[in-house]
Amino acid sequence: MIFCIPILADPVVIPPGGEVYLGEEGLDISYAIPYPYTSIAYFPAGSSPGRDQPLEIMQVSQGRFSVIPDLFYDRTGAWYQWDQVRGMPGQVAFIVRNPRISLKIMDRNTMGDRSFGTVSRGTPLVIQVETNLAGITRRPDFSYNDGPVKIQIKTPEGGTLAGVMTPGGGQYSFSSFIPTGELGYTPPVESGGWDTGWSGYKSGLYKIEPGFTVNRMEDNLWSYHGGYTLRGTEVTLGTERAGLHLSRETVVRGDPFGVTITGSPGVPYIVWVEGGSKTGYPGDQPPMIITSQEGIRQDYPEGPYIIGSYRPYGKSNTIRDLVPLFPHSGVYYYAEVIPDRNGRRTIEFHTSQETDDRRYTIHIEGPAGSANLKSDSIQVQVIKGSVSLSTDDGSYTIGDEIKLKGRNTGSCETYLFITGPNLPSAGGRLDAPRRQVTDGNPGSFTVASGDCETWEYRLFTNDLGIDTGTYTIYAVSAPRDRYHLESSSWQAIPITLKRPYVSVSDKRMTVAQGDELTISGTSGGRTDAGVAIWIFGRNYFWYDTVQTEHGGWFSYDLSVSVTRDMAPGEYYVIIQHPMTNGNFDIWPDRNHETILGTTPWYGAPVFRIAGPGALQGPAAAAALMSALQSQFIDDTYTEYSIFIQSPKIAISSDSLNATTKAPVTLSGTTNLAPGSRLFIEITDEQFGPIPKGKAGGWYGYSGTTSVYPGPKEEREFVFDIPAGTLNEGRYQVFIQAVSSQGTASGILQVTAPVIITPYPTLTTVITPTVILPEKTQKPETIPIEPIKTLLTDKIAEPANKTQNYKTEDGIISGIDRTTREPPVILGFGILLGLCVAGLIATLATWIKRKEKEDAGIEDEHNNNLAKEQQEPDEDADNGT
């Protein structure tokens, strides 16, 4: 059935001091605000009307007044009549309230809250209504047909109920509910409540929703999200049943697990674990129910066994006959459980290392004593957990801290022990390896705690009292020794322990005075005190300590101010390691006069390092090494030498010759440390006073450069001067180390580059012979003009060969003919090749032409000779 509330058309009369609610409209407040009052005033909390000023004054219409939510949401409480003429308040006109409805479902028999729970069908229910709308029922024109509260029930099938069935077949309409106070019940308790066992109600979820039904409150509050309260509830109607639900079907041994039962609220059920052939002894136990849980009742171990005497349906044995009787007489294998108001209850079981890893069956039956028993069962699998063990490394130095870590899903405690050479064969405590562990005795093991899943343990090897070698560390989920691991989860890893050591990066080091000196190396083992640095030299002693970094690395710096005061020569450096006890067994006194040790007593003098009878240099170093080698001293050491040299800077002679058109590169070698800074200054040799009235010029350059490593452990430097910076001439070069006393100087010669210009020269003279026709004359040699070819007058001479040239000032200077400019050489070669090729072609053409001319002259000469011979013959013939 659906319940509908009519909307009031006539104004609702509000009496003086009456209650109004956010969202109401159509209110007649003429009785609440009589003449001469035309307005209402609101005073903040703590103020006094008539003495204090109101927070807000509002002029109102007395016939049709609406409590608009957006205007009154922060002005709830009393509003006073207000006289605008006199500016005075009157009595309380009305009180503005935020409407509120909150519902709960209650068990009519026990008055227990069943909201959002489950109840068995047939359980009588009532709806508890908490509301502040009772003020509406006190209005003079209120009608009982105008109930301000609307209640509806949504069925599992989607229908809406405006009323419910009551015991005996009656019906109750929610519209009959009229709130008379802050708390009410519908249907009334005396009516028997809601009969949930009626055949028309199916099992499922029922939602109960409230609403406002007067003066369009619900419509006006629809878009308003603050102030008012509408809180519904829900309930699930179920059957009278017994059920079990597991939190997880597979449980790692040592972990707890939960079993949730469902049944009728407030009715006892019996739950037990089937033990079968289990004895209950360690390693053969089923899971047990944790004691002192809410809603769970158990027998006492000493009896009487009331719950244990329960005989399940169809069985001839009691529960105590079905479960092991060890430990605690078996009372923790079963319990009586009462579901809560929702018909549910969760029981927590726990497992331990004594729990056997197998499948178990958990039973439920009830309600206890009912003729219509319900039962259910469920299985849970208990498995062995796993244990993992790991370290950051497999090799350690005695004195190192070993961080062991891993996971343990078998228990919350991880039991550790160690085996190795001449240690107990069953295993020794990890923190005391020579003490044997006892199987089953947790106190004999080293225990690592964690969060029941991960664990961690820090092992300090300097306290173990064992020698170097390889050992095996075990992590076990139970207190089991090496020979009883089959029933537990475990893992083992090997570790290797080595003797502590100290080493340095370089066994021999050379450094110049004033350079920073760094002593670095590595150490292994416990180094809480770091390592000690001893330096011995002629009339020199230095002692200090330095802490090691992660991984045993250490680095110690001797500053520039220290090495500057160290005389050139050899120095002995000894690095002392404190070994496993973490303390230096040999050390200098506060004044650095006497070396002290721990034997034959603590602070006993070993030798003197200053004053009368003191050992110096090599003798002191040898005495210290001899003391460190004593069998009564566990410290170890390493030694090496350093050499301090005077700072040296050498300028390469090849770099002191340059030209004006090319960059100038000064280079050289030094014994200063890489990274050392050098100051370089280039000064014109002609720098000096200039006669008055004459112009003068001066050229130079300066800057800094850094030393860098060269080949074969050499150290070099390079300084570049841009091309064109220096004019032709001689320059003084001065180099000085920034942080030491090393200097060097030289002469830089800058010359103008030589430009080679080719010019023609005589290379070949050909003189042909011409025979004249006169038969009485000898051939005459006719000189022909010589032919010149273009060749250079001279090939460029090798570099660095000095030629003398005279300048315009008449000054003869030696100029270095340089050939270090590839573009000049290439251009000159191309020009020379073209000239030679052209000369050869011209000469070949000229020779061919001459050969032809010579051949013609010879033919003509032969003809003339023939003619001359014929003429005498003719003459002879004529004479004859």
Side-chain angles (χ1 to χ4, degrees):
M1 64 185 69
I2 300 177
F3 175 74
C4 298
I5 300 298
I7 299 176
L8 297 179
D10 296 331
V12 177
V13 177
I14 304 299
E19 295 174 303
V20 298
Y21 299 86
L22 292 181
E24 284 193 277
E25 65 179 40
L27 303 180
D28 182 354
I29 58 174
S30 58
Y31 289 96
I33 310 174
Y35 182 82
Y37 301 104
T38 58
S39 302
I40 55 176
Y42 180 78
F43 293 87
S47 62
S48 177
R51 185 184 62 184
D52 299 329
Q53 290 296 318
L55 181 63
E56 184 172 348
I57 298 174
M58 183 183 302
Q59 189 170 4
V60 294
S61 173
Q62 296 177 337
R64 290 284 182 175
F65 177 73
S66 297
V67 188
I68 301 174
D70 290 334
L71 295 179
F72 289 91
Y73 77 96
D74 60 346
R75 298 288 189 269
T76 58
W79 282 79
Y80 288 80
Q81 303 162 351
W82 184 259
D83 188 343
Q84 288 280 48
V85 176
R86 296 186 301 167
M88 295 291 293
Q91 301 299 319
V92 174
F94 49 76
I95 299 173
V96 177
R97 296 191 182 278
N98 287 312
R100 174 172 50 85
I101 302 176
S102 181
L103 304 181
K104 291 183 180 180
I105 285 289
M106 312 296 290
D107 186 330
R108 188 262 182 196
N109 294 332
T110 63
M111 295 307 290
D113 189 0
R114 298 291 182 260
S115 300
F116 302 97
T118 301
V119 298
S120 300
R121 289 186 63 245
T123 302
L125 303 175
V126 294
I127 301 173
Q128 178 179 290
V129 182
E130 299 176 6
T131 182
N132 63 349
L133 297 179
I136 294 178
T137 65
R138 292 189 285 270
R139 294 173 181 173
D141 57 349
F142 174 76
S143 172
Y144 281 90
N145 295 325
D146 303 332
V149 177
K150 176 177 66 175
I151 297 176
Q152 294 178 336
I153 299 178
K154 300 291 185 179
T155 67
E157 294 80 10
T160 302
L161 302 178
V164 294
M165 299 298 294
T166 59
Q171 296 185 19
Y172 177 82
S173 175
F174 292 133
S175 62
S176 301
F177 173 73
I178 302 298
T180 58
E182 292 286 329
L183 190 64
Y185 295 92
T186 182
V189 176
E190 58 271 14
S191 69
W194 175 17
D195 182 11
T196 60
W198 184 56
S199 60
Y201 299 135
K202 304 298 182 183
S203 298
L205 179 65
Y206 290 76
K207 296 183 178 181
I208 299 95
E209 300 174 350
F212 305 115
T213 60
V214 295
N215 304 328
R216 292 180 49 84
M217 285 178 58
E218 189 166 294
D219 294 338
N220 294 328
L221 292 173
W222 181 260
S223 60
Y224 176 63
H225 300 288
Y228 72 97
T229 300
L230 277 178
R231 183 178 296 116
T233 186
E234 61 186 40
V235 66
T236 300
L237 297 185
T239 59
E240 189 174 289
R241 67 195 185 284
L244 293 174
H245 305 277
L246 274 173
S247 60
R248 43 183 171 166
E249 296 181 356
T250 301
V251 180
V252 176
R253 183 172 57 190
D255 289 351
F257 65 95
V259 176
T260 300
I261 73 166
T262 57
S264 298
V267 179
Y269 291 80
I270 305 299
V271 176
W272 73 94
V273 179
E274 184 179 313
S277 60
K278 294 299 176 183
T279 64
Y281 293 109
D284 195 36
Q285 291 180 1
M288 290 188 286
I289 300 173
I290 297 177
T291 62
S292 303
Q293 298 184 62
E294 183 181 3
I296 298 176
R297 191 166 64 91
Q298 294 173 289
D299 289 335
Y300 293 103
E302 300 81 11
Y305 307 109
I306 299 174
I307 302 173
S309 62
Y310 178 82
R311 184 176 286 106
Y313 179 77
K315 295 184 179 293
S316 59
N317 297 325
T318 65
I319 289 181
R320 292 194 76 240
D321 297 330
L322 300 176
V323 300
L325 297 180
F326 184 89
H328 311 295
S329 302
V331 298
Y332 299 138
Y333 297 121
Y334 62 89
E336 181 185 82
V337 182
I338 300 176
D340 60 14
R341 61 185 179 83
N342 300 318
R344 302 169 66 88
R345 180 74 67 185
T346 298
I347 312 169
E348 184 173 351
F349 288 77
H350 78 91
T351 62
S352 65
Q353 295 305 312
E354 285 72 30
T355 305
D356 190 13
D357 51 320
R358 52 156 289 182
R359 187 177 296 275
Y360 295 92
T361 302
I362 300 174
H363 299 271
I364 182 174
E365 187 174 287
S370 173
N372 186 20
L373 293 174
K374 304 293 182 181
S375 63
D376 195 7
S377 63
I378 196 168
Q379 290 187 333
V380 60
Q381 178 72 46
V382 178
I383 62 174
K384 284 183 180 181
S386 62
V387 175
S388 64
L389 169 62
S390 64
T391 62
D392 296 332
D393 193 3
S395 180
Y396 296 89
T397 303
I398 295 177
D400 284 347
E401 177 188 272
I402 302 178
K403 182 179 180 181
L404 303 172
K405 57 185 177 181
R407 299 175 63 88
N408 183 1
T409 60
S411 66
C412 291
E413 306 292 336
T414 304
Y415 300 88
L416 307 173
F417 64 88
I418 187 172
T419 62
N422 296 317
L423 297 182
S425 59
R429 285 181 61 97
L430 185 58
D431 53 355
R434 300 184 187 278
R435 292 173 53 186
Q436 182 172 335
V437 299
T438 303
D439 184 65
N441 182 8
S444 64
F445 290 79
T446 301
V447 181
S449 299
D451 56 3
C452 295
E453 184 173 353
T454 61
W455 62 273
E456 180 178 310
Y457 185 82
R458 296 179 181 273
L459 177 64
F460 297 94
T461 58
N462 58 293
D463 299 329
L464 298 181
I466 57 178
D467 202 355
T468 59
T470 299
Y471 299 85
T472 302
I473 297 178
Y474 290 79
V476 192
S477 62
R480 297 287 185 260
D481 64 16
R482 179 184 179 186
Y483 301 116
H484 300 85
L485 297 174
E486 65 278 355
S487 62
S488 302
S489 303
W490 60 278
Q491 186 176 358
I493 60 170
I495 63 167
T496 300
L497 296 180
K498 302 178 296 183
R499 287 185 59 80
Y501 67 92
V502 61
S503 63
V504 292
S505 302
D506 297 313
K507 285 292 185 179
R508 182 183 178 91
M509 184 182 299
T510 301
V511 65
Q513 280 181 302
D515 279 347
E516 186 178 79
L517 172 62
T518 300
I519 300 172
S520 61
T522 57
S523 65
R526 183 176 181 180
T527 54
D528 297 344
V531 295
I533 311 293
W534 303 73
I535 303 178
F536 298 93
R538 287 183 174 85
N539 300 320
Y540 188 86
F541 171 67
W542 184 272
Y543 175 85
D544 203 355
T545 59
V546 60
Q547 293 295 320
T548 57
E549 299 177 5
H550 182 70
W553 172 262
F554 67 89
S555 178
Y556 182 76
D557 296 328
L558 287 178
S559 64
V560 172
S561 61
V562 174
T563 60
R564 185 185 294 119
D565 296 334
M566 297 174 70
E570 183 179 5
Y571 292 80
Y572 296 93
V573 179
I574 297 174
I575 312 298
Q576 179 186 4
H577 188 291
M579 291 293 281
T580 58
N581 62 5
N583 298 316
F584 294 114
D585 293 338
I586 294 180
W587 67 95
D589 65 2
R590 180 176 300 179
N591 298 324
H592 286 189
E593 294 180 351
T594 304
I595 305 302
L596 308 177
T598 57
T599 58
W601 64 85
Y602 186 85
V606 180
F607 63 90
R608 292 186 62 83
I609 195 66
L615 299 180
Q616 297 293 327
L624 176 61
M625 289 186 287
S626 177
L628 290 172
Q629 293 170 359
S630 171
Q631 298 299 321
F632 299 99
I633 302 297
D634 77 331
D635 293 3
T636 188
Y637 71 95
T638 186
E639 51 86 19
Y640 71 109
S641 298
I642 59 175
F643 293 84
I644 303 296
Q645 295 180 344
S646 299
K648 298 178 182 179
I649 302 175
I651 306 175
S652 174
S653 59
D654 292 340
S655 66
L656 293 175
N657 294 307
T659 61
T660 57
K661 298 301 182 180
V664 179
T665 301
L666 294 175
S667 61
T669 59
T670 180
N671 64 350
L672 298 176
S676 298
R677 302 290 294 174
L678 301 178
F679 175 75
I680 300 179
E681 184 179 33
I682 313 297
T683 306
D684 192 343
E685 271 197 342
Q686 297 181 359
F687 175 71
I690 304 300
K692 185 176 182 180
K694 292 187 178 181
W698 175 83
Y699 299 93
Y701 196 77
S702 64
T704 60
T705 188
S706 298
V707 177
Y708 63 90
K712 298 180 180 180
E713 299 184 356
E714 294 181 353
R715 293 145 189 188
E716 301 178 353
F717 67 89
V718 172
F719 183 73
D720 293 324
I721 304 173
T725 302
L726 302 179
N727 279 6
E728 185 177 359
R730 289 165 56 90
Y731 295 85
Q732 289 283 348
V733 178
F734 179 74
I735 302 177
Q736 181 178 6
V738 174
S739 59
S740 68
Q741 300 177 358
T743 61
S745 62
I747 300 297
L748 172 64
Q749 181 70 53
V750 180
T751 60
V754 178
I755 300 177
I756 301 174
T757 304
Y759 56 89
T761 184
L762 181 61
T763 57
T764 305
V765 178
I766 301 176
T767 308
T769 303
V770 179
I771 302 176
L772 298 176
E774 289 82 0
K775 63 179 180 179
T776 59
Q777 294 180 348
K778 294 181 179 181
E780 183 179 359
T781 300
I782 302 174
I784 298 177
E785 185 70 20
I787 300 174
K788 297 181 181 180
T789 61
L790 298 176
L791 292 176
T792 57
D793 61 336
K794 199 169 192 179
I795 298 176
E797 297 181 4
N800 300 328
K801 184 175 181 181
T802 303
Q803 297 282 337
N804 292 331
Y805 295 93
K806 188 170 183 180
T807 63
E808 294 179 0
D809 298 332
I811 302 174
I812 303 299
S813 60
I815 302 176
D816 183 12
R817 299 291 303 278
T818 178
T819 59
R820 293 183 295 177
E821 297 181 7
V824 176
I825 297 175
L826 180 60
F828 174 74
I830 294 173
L831 180 60
L832 178 61
L834 292 175
C835 292
V836 172
L839 177 62
I840 293 173
T842 304
L843 186 60
T845 303
W846 181 81
I847 291 174
K848 289 181 180 180
R849 187 170 65 248
K850 283 299 181 182
E851 287 178 351
K852 291 181 180 181
E853 293 177 356
D854 291 344
I857 294 174
E858 185 175 359
D859 292 340
E860 184 180 356
H861 178 66
N862 292 335
N863 292 333
N864 293 334
L865 290 179
K867 288 180 181 181
E868 290 178 357
Q869 291 178 357
Q870 290 177 0
E871 288 177 357
D873 291 340
E874 291 176 355
D875 293 339
D877 293 338
N878 294 331
T880 304

